[in-house]
Amino acid sequence: LGLTPEGSDLFIGFTLSGEQKFSYPLPRGNQHPSLEQITWGNVVGGAPHWVLAGADGSVHFVAADGRALDQFNYGEVINGIAAAQLDGQGVVLISSKNGLEAWKVEGK
């Protein structure tokens, strides 16, 4: 995770040899100080991918090659995020001021 000159977060993927493979811009803003905003799971698309929490309450699904798979706006500051499979269904777990919620995610 890096910063652009404008102060936005930038998710950066590297090859095993240390070369930049991709970059994915995230919304500008301040995250919850203890949030691990990047996790890995298999929620959309049938293959494991990155799940990212944006500072504006958005959730982004990014393929291993940096391609955007999908996103949605949760609408609150995210305090914690995780990806899981429950009964074969992709689920995003989100912790916020609302408590802990599990969101079932279906493909488009």
Side-chain angles (χ1 to χ4, degrees), residues 8-66:
S8 297
D9 286 332
L10 189 64
F11 177 58
I12 304 168
F14 293 94
T15 64
L16 292 176
S17 61
E19 296 174 16
Q20 183 175 326
K21 184 175 182 179
F22 67 84
S23 64
Y24 182 88
L26 288 167
R28 220 174 154 170
N30 295 318
Q31 290 286 13
H32 186 278
S34 63
L35 173 66
E36 292 286 337
Q37 72 186 96
I38 302 169
T39 190
W40 180 258
N42 188 359
V43 181
V44 299
H49 52 273
W50 300 104
V51 181
L52 315 170
D56 62 350
S58 58
V59 177
H60 304 258
F61 304 97
V62 179
D65 64 2

